[in-house]
Each structure stands twice: as C-alpha cells, then as structure tokens.
Amino acid sequence: MIASLLGHWAFEPFAKALPQMGDTERAALEAGTVGFEGALFRGRPDFDRLMAVAPNHLTAEEQAFLDKDVGELIAQLDDFAIDEARDLPPEVWRLLRERRFFGMIIPREQGGLGFSHFAHAAVVTRIATVNVAAAVTVMVPNSLGPAELLLRYGTQAQKAHYLPRLADGRDLPCFGLTSPYAGSDAAAIPDTGVLTERVVDGRSMRGFVVRFDKRYITLAPVATVVGLAFQAVDPSRPEGQQQLGITCALIPVPTPGLQIGRRHRPMNSAFMNGPIRGDDVFVPMDWIIGGEARVGQGWRMLMECLAAGRAISLPALGAAMQQTALHVMTGYGRIREQFGLPIARFEAIAGLIARTAADLYASDAARRYTASVLDAGERPSVASAILKVQLTEAGRRAVTTGMDVLGGKGIISGPGNLLGVAYRHAPIAITVEGANLLSRALIIFGQGAVRCHPHVMAEMAAVQARDENALGRALLAHAGHVLRNLGASLFGAGTQGRVPPGLEKEARLIARVSAKYALTADLAMGLLGGRLKRMELLSARLGDVLSHLYLAAASVWRFHVEADPQLLPFARAAIRFQLEAAAATLRDLHANMPSGLLKALSPLLLQGTRHLAPLRDRDLVALSEALRTDPSLVARLCPDFTPPATGGLHDLAEALRLADALGDEVAELNRALRRTHSLEAAAAKSRDPEAALAYLRAADKLIQVDDFRAG
C-alpha cells in the first residue's frame, strides 16, 4: 500500500527528473556485467567477495610463448631504428604472422592461440616495454578488431573463412568506426548504407550501398579486410521506420569503391594508421557480421566487445610505460651521480620514484584483478573504462616523471634515449578507444550510476513500464540504501569480510570512503536529476572517486594473492595515495555542488576525509631507498619489463649488471673518477680492474647523449 501510494505520488516528478535516453545510449548502458565496482558504488564492499577472485594464471603454453616467441620478437626490435623508419622491419612482420601473434584471442580449433585475457595482456605489455609501435600492431587485431566480433556474432561461414586467415596473418584487419564529424559521438556516425538489390556475377543479391569516410584507423594502410560500422537504411519502409540502426560489416581489400587513404602519423609513430573511404561500395548481406539477422545491432555488438577490450590493450600500454619509467628512474638514479651522490638519494627525486612505484602497484593491481575477472567469464564494462582511463593516465604520469628525473638525457633524441619515444606516444593512448575526458564523465559515472547502483535501474524500468507500484518499491529500497550510507558516513563503516594481515586499517578506510561516495552519488543524482548528465565536471569527479576506490580495493586483492611481505609497504602506499585522491575529489565535488543545503552539511558528511593517514616524506624516502638498495623489488614491481638488444634501455641494463657485480666498490670508483678524470686511472686501483673499467665505460655510455651531423 505504501509502495503504491509513493509510486503514484512520485511518478510524474521522477519521470521528468530522469535523463532522456536513446537506443544507442541504452545499449551502451546495458553492455557488460557488474563486479566489485558495484559493491564500491553501493558503499558496501565485501572483501570476502574480493578475495575470492582467483589469482592470475598462465598455462604452460602461454608461459612458453612469452619466454620464447615474445623473447625472439623483442630481440628483433630496435626502438630508435623502427621510429626512424616509421615501420616495423620485414622480419618482424614475418615473425608476427608465423608465430600467430595476431590470433591470440582466436581459439586453437580455428587456427589461433586461444590465450586467456591475462596472457593476451601480458604479451602486449612485454612488447610495449621495448617498442610501442610493435605492441600496437599486435594489440589491434586482438582487441576491437573483427576477430572478437566474428567470434561472438559471426555466422558459421564467416568464422570458417576469416578466423584461420586472421590467426595466421594471411588477412590483416582494421576497423572503421570514427568519422571526421563523429568522433566522441560515435553513435552519430554519418556513414550510411542503403538497402538495395544488385546483380553480382549474374546473381541478384540483397545488400547495402555504402558511403563512408573514416579516419584514425589503425592498420588501415596494410589491411586486407576492413571492418566497418555504418547506419543502415531501408528506403522501402514507411517514413520514420527507415533507420535500421548501426550495422557492422567486413569488406575485403580491394573492393570496388573502397579507398585506403594517405597514411596518418599519430605523434609521428611507426605503427600504421590512416583513413578509409568508400563511395558506392556494395556490401552483400553475407558480408554483414552475423548476417541479415544482425542488421541494426552493431552498436550493441561494439559496446559488448568494448566491455572486455578496454580492459586489455590500452591498459597494457599504460602498464608498460609505468614499468619502463620506474625501471629507468631507479636504474638511472643508481648510476647517475651529482654532488658526489647517486641522484636517487636526493629527496626530490626519491619522492618521485616512491610515488611512481605506489602508482604502479595500484594500477597494475587493478589491471591484473580485472583480467582475472574477465577470465572467469565476466565482462565488466564500467571497470574496463576505469582501467582504460586510469592506466593510460598513470602511464603518461610515469613517463613525464621519468623525463624529469633524466633531465637533459631525456630530451636528446637518438638510440641512447631512454623514454623519449614513449613520451611522444603517451597522448595517443589517452585519446583513442574512448577519450579519457569523455570516459570519466559519461562511461565510468554515467554508466556506473545506472549499472552499479542497486536501485536506479529498477526505478528507470518502472518508469518506462509505467508501473507505479514497482517504482514505489524501488524508491523505498533506495531510501533505505541512502539511510544506511548516511549512518556509515556519520558513525563509521565496518569492514565486511576478511582482509590480508597488515591491511586491516586500509580496508576500513576503503569502506568508509566507499560509504561517503555512495551517499554523495545519491545526493547528486537526487538533487540534480537529469541535469547531472550535462554537468560534466561534477560527473567526472564522481567517476574519478569510483576509479580511485577500485584501484585501492584491487591493491588489497593483489597483496592477498601475491602474499609477498616485502611489498606490504608499497601496497599500503598505493592504497593511501588512492584514498587521498578519492577524498580530495569528494571535497571538491561537495564544494561545487549547486546546493546551499548540501554545502552546509558537507563538513558533517565529509568528516574524517581530511587526513586519511597520508604518507609522510620519511615514508616516501624509505620506499625509494628500498628500491635503490634492493633491485629485486624493482623486478617484482616491473615483471614485464624486458631489456632490448640495443639502445638506451640495453645500455642501462648493462651498466646495472656490471654495477651489481662490483657491489659496494661502485661508490669508490666514482670518487676515483672525479679525482682522476680518467676511466682507466680510476679502474686501475680496483680489486678487479677489468670489471671496474667495464662498469665505468658502461656508465659513461649511459650518461652520454647522441649527436648527429649538423644539417
């Protein structure tokens, strides 16, 4: 009775408050599944559920591929030479095809490698620590390429024809989604296909005559098959029913009317990218992915594939940038001296190294946790958007910080440069596959507010069905949810489930901030209604808080599954930094809410967020010193980093290897070098002059920069 009355009273104002939603937006909202991010959004994280997620696992075949095949590939990658040539060498292209790098996600029975999501990510990450262009070339066919669409939606004939050819590289795919006038608003693509019949080879065929203009299409210049998204139209239908919806097709290269445009060079990178255009391209019905039954379902298909794909490839690039940058900062910080000390011992640099290490622990924890969830069969769309945003941003931060530590060494181009190419690549990952500006507001929070909230979806469904009783029941449950989070915000939130020893306090803080976030999200949605969708600065902040909570919780999981006590200080630091960022963002959010009442209540609602046991300077210095004195910690934080066969990263690895062999004598050798200004003289008095001279020469080579003939 109460529910029915409440629903009747609230129906009209509630219907007006809800944002308008089109079919494409609905498809995006409904794509994928909800995992632990939903518990954080509700303000009730259950750590038993978090700890129940299995650790990452590689099969013997996957491990062998990483060790042998990826190792052989890396040995052929010269970052500077590839960058200068603006293409991969022919032998690299050949190896990628022969070893089926393009078929990692394709099952073995269809010619591929049948790898797990974690193995796929590990391969891309390891390659990207050496050469981003090669990693991008590998990741695109395994990410939002036609292969995943075919696996999930293709007809049996399409699978039988294309999957073996994609797996062994006989066909190289690209996918055209972005148009010059529909970038972030991909659902509004202007490219159209008009349903018609044509005679082909003497046979009448149904299909679409398509006109399209796509850009920023990775692998387009070398593609032999083009995946295409277009708006399907049936002019024979009545007015208002002619739009069939976004449709996906596969077009062989060459096809009459299809044109591969002149090459684009994103940040002058070596990976292949360019536009594709089509005029009067006939696409038979059996070229539609899934056949005629899938006409108009392309947007849902793309969103469902992105629910997984966003969590793999671009986060792998971000992780690679972080691992490479931390390896460079710690290694160069040990070798390079100023004022008679290794630069890593100066607090200004030590603080940067410690923050980067903590950032890496948290972001890599989230990447590994989400890969495990994916391998368990989930498709977490909100979590995958969190990963895409957070890891690409973390990669950019790490490389920028690394450049600060390198100083002049970092800005001189040449084979000896350690991070310059990665620094140039960083903005690419930020921009593509859902620009981070858009993803923070519209996907992480916009989608999260509907999918992760325990009651909003039910309320929206009740309004759509005009079911006042169902709306009333959902609103009563929603009110109980708000009151529970209000109590937890004011009086403290208890921890549900068990957590690893040593992180009990951090888990309680996660629960506390989660409850305050859940309450704030409800207040924002209740006070602003549909306006919140347009207030992107607020909704982006709401997305950021959820992201920080997700990374903090994933750090708890990572410490649990790794059970490495030496990494406990890094786990704690990672969680504290994420919670500090979440709390600061919550305070900014409350300060900018257009509600005098909420601003008045904010000090009460946000109590306890001002100082979440932040790390002190001494803690940062201790973390950095641990990395400087124990290289095994760096190796555990950077497990995917692989020194290349040539270039600056090889020089760094060689200098570190020789320094480790000499041990404590390195400091005395450097003092002797400052006195004598001679490598030979400094090495002469060593207990092992030959080893000492080899180290000094390697260190000198690392410190020097490349030069070129003028003009």
Side-chain angles (χ1 to χ4, degrees), residues 549-571:
L549 285 168
Y550 188 76
L551 267 64
S555 299
V556 177
W557 172 85
R558 177 180 177 178
F559 185 72
H560 166 71
V561 297
E562 288 183 347
D564 187 344
Q566 283 193 289
L567 290 183
L568 178 59
F570 295 93

Side-chain angles (χ1 to χ4, degrees), residues 71-380:
E72 289 182 27
L73 172 63
I74 286 173
Q76 295 185 20
L77 298 176
D78 184 322
D79 198 36
F80 182 74
I82 290 170
D83 198 55
E84 289 285 289
R86 301 194 182 102
D87 194 4
L88 302 176
E91 60 270 21
V92 170
W93 280 107
R94 185 165 53 251
L95 187 147
L96 293 176
R97 287 183 165 93
E98 290 175 353
R99 306 295 179 86
R100 300 180 185 252
F101 276 84
F102 300 132
M104 286 190 287
I105 68 168
I106 297 174
R108 288 181 174 275
E109 56 268 25
Q110 290 159 317
L113 296 176
F115 280 1
S116 66
H117 294 288
F118 178 62
H120 168 196
V123 170
V124 174
T125 307
R126 192 163 295 188
I127 297 169
T129 64
V130 176
N131 181 254
V132 171
V136 170
T137 302
V138 168
M139 83 184 198
V140 167
N142 289 289
S143 183
L144 188 60
E148 186 169 3
L149 289 167
L150 284 168
L151 284 167
R152 288 174 61 83
Y153 311 107
T155 66
Q156 290 305 314
Q158 289 168 345
K159 292 178 183 179
H161 174 75
Y162 275 114
L163 290 178
R165 296 177 62 84
L166 291 169
D168 63 20
R170 281 175 289 168
D171 271 330
L172 199 61
C174 68
F175 195 91
L177 178 60
T178 304
S179 299
Y181 291 94
S184 295
D185 188 10
I189 55 176
D191 314 285
T192 57
V194 178
L195 186 62
T196 187
E197 287 197 17
R198 278 195 179 177
V199 176
V200 179
D201 296 331
R203 186 163 60 97
S204 181
M205 227 178 249
R206 278 165 56 82
F208 293 90
V209 175
V210 187
R211 298 186 66 175
F212 57 89
D213 183 6
K214 306 287 191 180
R215 67 176 179 180
Y216 309 149
I217 312 304
T218 301
L219 296 187
V222 293
T224 64
V225 59
V226 171
L228 183 73
F230 64 91
Q231 298 277 7
V233 178
D234 182 356
S236 68
R237 290 190 173 198
E239 192 76 26
Q241 301 178 28
Q242 295 180 355
Q243 297 292 328
L244 304 179
I246 293 175
T247 299
C248 296
L250 293 177
I251 304 175
V253 179
T255 286
L258 170 65
Q259 177 191 355
I260 305 293
R262 286 155 57 92
R263 182 179 174 185
H264 293 148
R265 295 217 303 255
M267 299 305 289
N268 213 26
S269 179
F271 68 83
M272 292 293 171
N273 188 282
I276 55 174
R277 302 180 182 92
D279 188 14
D280 194 38
V281 177
F282 182 64
V283 177
M285 203 60 76
D286 60 5
W287 290 7
I288 303 299
I289 298 178
E292 189 163 359
R294 292 287 183 181
V295 169
Q297 297 184 26
W299 187 245
R300 180 177 295 275
M301 291 157 59
L302 289 168
M303 290 302 98
E304 288 176 352
C305 286
L306 273 173
R310 275 199 187 103
I312 302 297
S313 296
L314 289 170
L317 292 189
M321 288 182 182
Q322 285 183 278
Q323 291 185 34
T324 302
L326 182 62
H327 182 87
V328 166
M329 283 189 277
T330 55
Y332 191 76
R334 288 174 56 198
I335 301 298
R336 178 67 162 143
E337 290 196 353
Q338 291 286 275
F339 305 102
L341 288 173
I343 62 172
R345 294 186 62 182
F346 291 97
E347 288 193 358
I349 289 176
L352 296 177
I353 290 173
R355 285 181 176 273
T356 301
D359 213 8
L360 171 58
Y361 188 96
S363 58
D364 220 27
R367 183 176 70 93
R368 292 165 180 270
Y369 171 78
T370 309
S372 191
V373 169
L374 285 166
D375 283 330
E378 298 294 321
R379 303 183 74 79

Side-chain angles (χ1 to χ4, degrees), residues 654-655 658 662 683 689-699:
E654 184 65 9
L658 294 167
L662 288 169
E690 185 177 345
L693 184 58
Y695 162 73
L696 290 171
R697 285 175 174 166

